[in-house]
Amino acid sequence: MKKFLSLYFLLLSFTFFGQANQPWRSFFSYNDIVDVTQSPSRVFGAASSAMFEKNLGTNELKTITSVDGLKAETITAVHHSAEFNRTLVGNSNGLLIVINGDNTIVNKIGIVQETTVAATKKRINHIYEYQGKAYISCDFGIAVFNIATLEFGDTYYLGPNGAEISVQQCAILGGRIFAASSTNGIRAASLSNPNLNDFNQWTEYVTGNFSGIVDYEGQLFANDDAGFLFRVTDAGTAVFTTFPSAITDLREANGYMVVTCANRVTVYNQDLIQASQINVIPLPEAQNASFSCATVVAETLFIGTVANGMFSAGFNNLSFESITPNGPQRSNIFRIKKSPSALWAVYGDYSFYYNPYPLEYLGVSKFTDKGWSTITNEALFNAASISDIAINPVNEKQVYVSSFHNGLIKIENDEPVMLYNDLNTNNNLQSIQTPGTGVRINSLAFDKDSNLWLTNTRIEKALKMLKPSGSWTSYSIKDVIDPPNNDYGRMVIDRNGTKWIATSYFGVLAFNETLNKKIIITQGDNGNLPSFDVRSVAIDNNNRLWIGTNKGLRVLAGIDRFTTENSLTTNPIIILEDGVAQELMYEQGIADIAVDGSNNKWLGTTGAGAFLVSPDGQQTLFHFTKQNSPLPSDNINDIEIDNVTGEVFFATDKGMVSYRGTSTEASDDLSKVYVFPNPVRPGFEDDVKISGLVDEANIKITDIEGNLVYETTSEGGTVLWDTRAFGKYKVASGVYMIFISSEDGTQTKVKKLMIVR
C-alpha cells in the first residue's frame, strides 16, 4: 500500500507550522493538568495530550494541539523560557518539543534515540533553566539542552558507579547542581566541573527519597513523598514545615515559592512567610478536585488539577475562575456518534479482552456549535464504563448509552431519565454479578421501526430489543454461540432487518427474528475470516458487509443472500503492490470501518492510523498517521462521519481530530444545493465546495459568456472545484454559472459563483 495520496504533511525535518484554513480541527481535553509554567505575563497549562496559554494582558486563551504541530506522546513536564521566548515540552518517551515564539514547533529526539537507555527510562520529569541551558531531569539521569541553539549537550549518569537513577527535579545554587532522586537521595556536583558526565564527580549530598527540589532566595528546599518540606544545607536537612498529604509540585515562580499538595496550595514570599493558601476551589466544576501543580503570575495563583482543569485565584480576594479551554471530559474518547446537530462522545472503556476493570466513572459529552458540554456521571446514575451510543433516527433528542457494568441509560433533552438493568426489565437485561452490577450492555443500533437493539454480554439470551413503547424482547443465540465465553463488538442492521454483530470468539453473528434465522461467519470453511475475533462491521452502498478483525479485513458480497442461503463466505481484497498480489490490511487489527457518501471506506486501525480506500478497496486514497497528519495517535478507537458536511472524526487513545472531507451523502433532490465559499475572496487557496447534490449529477461551470471552464460528475453529494479551467490555470475574477442536472435530466439547478482575485 505504498501508492497513496498524502494530502496533508505536517512533518518536515521535525519542524511544524500552524496552518490557517487547513482541513483539520482538534478536540482535546484540558482537564488533566500535568504541569504549568509561566512568564511575567502569561501562564501555560499542559494536559497529557495538548496545551494552552493565557495572556493576562489581553485575556486571550489559545490552545496548542496536534493540528498546530504539537505531536506529543504523553506530556509530562513543561518550561517556558522568557529569555528565549520558547516553551519546552517534555514527554513520557523522552521527546522534547520546542514551541518557538513565532509558533513554529520543533521536535528534538536526542533522548528518544539514546540507544544505551531503555525506552521505559526516558521519561522527562522536570525542566530547569540556568544560564541558557535546560537541565532535563529524566528517569535515567540529567540531559543538558542548549535553549539558544536547540542542541543537546552532555548527559549525566550520576548514580553510584554510573548507574541510571531517576532524577525527579534539579536546582542550581552556589555554583553547585543538586539532583533530587526518588531512590538515591540528593546528588550534588560542582557546576564548573567540565567532567560532570563522569559519575565520580557526583556525591550523595543528602540521603533519602526526594521528589522535588528548588533553590529559593539563596536557600535550598526539597520534599519527600510523605508531605515533608525540608530546608537543605551542608549540615543536612531540617524540616521547614509539613503538609497533610504528599507534595505533588514544588517550584519558584515570579519571586514566590509554591508548594502544591492534592488538597492544598501554599505560597511563600521572599521572607518565607505564607502569602496565600488555597484548600478548596468553591466552583461547581471543581467539585472534589485534586490539585496537581500551581504557579504564580502577577500575584494570581493558577492551580492545575488532576481531572478538573485549571483555575485562577487572586492572593487577596480569592476570586476563583476556571481558565480551562472548552473540550470533552478527557482526550481518550472511546466511542462517538453524530446526530444532525451534535456529536456525542463516551469514554468507556473495556480492555482489548472486553475487561471493564478497573471501572471508570465518567460522563457523556456533547459537542454542538456552542462548544462542549458534559452530562456528569452522577446524573448518569453513577454508571461505570459507558461504552456505546445510539441516537434515535426520528428523534435526535432521544439518546441511549450503554454501560458495560450497569445496564442501559436513556437520555432525553440532555437529561438522563432511566437506567435499565436486571432489576426493572422483567429479567430481560441480566447480570453476571450481583444484582444491579455486571449488566454488560454493548452494541447499540436502531432498526427502521425505531426499535433499539443491543447485546447483553455473557448470558444465553444475549440479543435484546427495546420497542418505542418500552416493552422488551430477548432472543437466545445459544444454538450458534456459547454465551458465557463471548463478548460482542459493533452491530449494524441492514434494510431487511438482519442484525450483523461482531463477536469476540465466533466471528460475525447474523440474526433475523422475522425469518427466525441465525448464521455464524467465522474462520476456515465456515466463512473464511482471518480471525474469529471481529471488532467492526459496516454495510456499504453496494450492499456489501465489510468486516474488520484483529488480524485483517474481509468483505461479504450481497448480504441479501442471508435470506436464502445457510452459509456465507467472505473474501479478502487482493491488490497489486509493485506488481505483486497482496491482501489489503493483511494481519492488521481494524478497530472501526466507516462508509462515506461516495462509498469510500475509512478503516481505523490499532497501531497504523487511518486509511481511506476506494469503494472496491483497490486504491488507497489517503493514509493518515501521527507522522504525516494531525492524528495524535495511530491507535484509532472510533471513526464517525458527518454525511452532510463530509467531516470525518477520528477518536484516538490520545485525543480526537477531524478532517474536513469532501464525500457527503447524496441528496434525494437538488433543492438544497449550496456553494461554499461564495464569493471567493482574494487569498483563498482551497477548493470551492458544491454540496447538496444527487448522486451521479452532472456539473458544468461556465464564465458569464458561456465558455465552459469545468465539468464533472458527482459521486455522492459533493464535488470540489479548484477554480482552475480544466486544471490548467486559475480563472479570472468574475461571475461563473454552475449548471447542475441529475443523471436522467429530470432535475436541474443553476447557481452563481463570484470569484474575486
Side-chain angles (χ1 to χ4, degrees), residues 281-297:
I281 300 173
L283 296 176
E285 57 268 40
Q287 187 175 7
N288 300 319
S290 178
F291 304 153
S292 58
C293 51
T295 192
V296 174
V297 182

Side-chain angles (χ1 to χ4, degrees), residues 265-575:
V265 176
T266 306
V267 181
Y268 295 94
N269 63 19
Q270 295 175 348
D271 297 320
L272 295 178
I273 297 173
Q274 181 175 300
S276 182
Q277 178 176 303
I278 303 295
N279 297 321
V280 66
I281 300 173
L283 296 176
E285 57 268 40
Q287 187 175 7
N288 300 319
S290 178
F291 304 153
S292 58
C293 51
T295 192
V296 174
V297 182
E299 294 196 348
T300 299
L301 259 173
F302 293 89
I303 304 170
T305 69
V306 173
N308 300 75
M310 184 181 286
F311 300 86
S312 64
F315 270 22
N316 299 320
N317 56 26
L318 299 181
S319 57
F320 292 88
E321 177 187 1
S322 172
I323 63 166
T324 313
N326 184 246
Q329 189 171 9
R330 74 174 186 180
S331 289
N332 185 357
I333 296 175
F334 194 69
R335 290 287 182 270
I336 49 179
K337 190 71 69 175
K338 186 71 177 65
S339 72
S341 64
L343 179 74
W344 292 79
V346 297
Y347 307 96
D349 60 348
Y350 42 73
S351 72
F352 182 82
Y353 300 101
Y354 291 91
N355 179 6
Y357 292 94
L359 296 173
E360 297 203 59
Y361 295 85
L362 294 163
V364 172
S365 295
K366 178 183 180 182
F367 178 73
T368 67
D369 55 5
K370 296 181 180 179
W372 286 95
S373 60
T374 296
I375 303 172
T376 67
N377 184 261
E378 290 77 12
L380 293 161
F381 310 101
N382 296 304
S385 187
I386 298 175
S387 304
D388 205 0
I389 316 159
I391 302 169
N392 191 328
V394 298
N395 177 14
E396 70 166 313
K397 294 183 178 181
Q398 185 180 88
V399 178
Y400 289 84
V401 294
S402 62
S403 164
F404 209 62
H405 184 68
N406 296 100
L408 177 72
I409 301 167
K410 181 180 181 180
I411 300 171
E412 290 186 339
N413 297 311
D414 299 342
E415 294 289 337
V417 295
M418 175 67 73
L419 170 65
Y420 297 101
N421 56 27
D422 56 324
L423 303 176
N424 59 6
T425 57
N426 293 322
N427 208 36
N428 277 281
L429 299 187
Q430 292 179 276
S431 171
I432 60 172
Q433 295 177 1
T434 57
T437 63
V439 186
R440 297 187 177 182
I441 306 301
N442 210 18
S443 313
L444 306 180
F446 277 96
D447 66 17
K448 61 183 179 181
D449 297 318
S450 298
N451 299 311
L452 178 65
W453 290 82
L454 54 142
T455 53
N456 191 172
T457 289
R458 297 182 179 268
I459 66 169
E460 178 182 337
K461 294 184 177 181
L463 194 55
K464 313 291 183 180
M465 179 182 68
L466 174 61
K467 292 185 177 181
S469 63
S471 64
W472 288 88
T473 307
S474 298
Y475 298 92
S476 174
I477 56 172
K478 188 177 181 180
D479 52 334
V480 291
I481 285 179
D482 182 12
N485 296 314
N486 190 71
D487 294 285
Y488 304 92
R490 302 172 191 267
M491 169 169 48
V492 291
I493 304 176
D494 69 19
R495 61 191 179 188
N496 299 316
T498 301
K499 272 60 70 176
W500 303 87
I501 306 168
T503 79
S504 61
Y505 287 103
F506 296 89
V508 175
L509 166 65
F511 172 82
N512 190 302
E513 75 284 2
T514 303
L515 300 175
N516 192 26
K517 187 174 183 179
K518 311 180 191 74
I519 292 179
I520 288 292
I521 305 170
T522 187
Q523 294 173 293
D525 295 336
N526 196 21
N528 191 35
L529 294 183
S531 168
F532 54 70
D533 188 355
V534 176
R535 295 289 162 155
S536 54
V537 287
I539 299 170
D540 73 7
N541 300 338
N542 291 328
N543 217 27
R544 295 178 297 182
L545 182 72
W546 290 64
I547 303 169
T549 79
N550 67 333
K551 291 186 177 180
L553 176 72
R554 288 294 184 270
V555 176
L556 175 66
I559 58 177
D560 290 342
R561 291 187 294 130
F562 170 85
T563 61
T564 57
E565 300 178 19
N566 292 321
S567 64
L568 299 171
T569 299
T570 65
N571 294 297
I573 293 177
I574 304 300
I575 59 174

Side-chain angles (χ1 to χ4, degrees), residues 226-229 240-247 259 261 264 266 268 277:
F228 288 91
L229 180 63
F240 175 70
T241 189
T242 60
F243 293 88
S245 60
I247 295 171
V259 186
C261 302
R264 179 183 296 181
T266 306
Y268 295 94
Q277 178 176 303

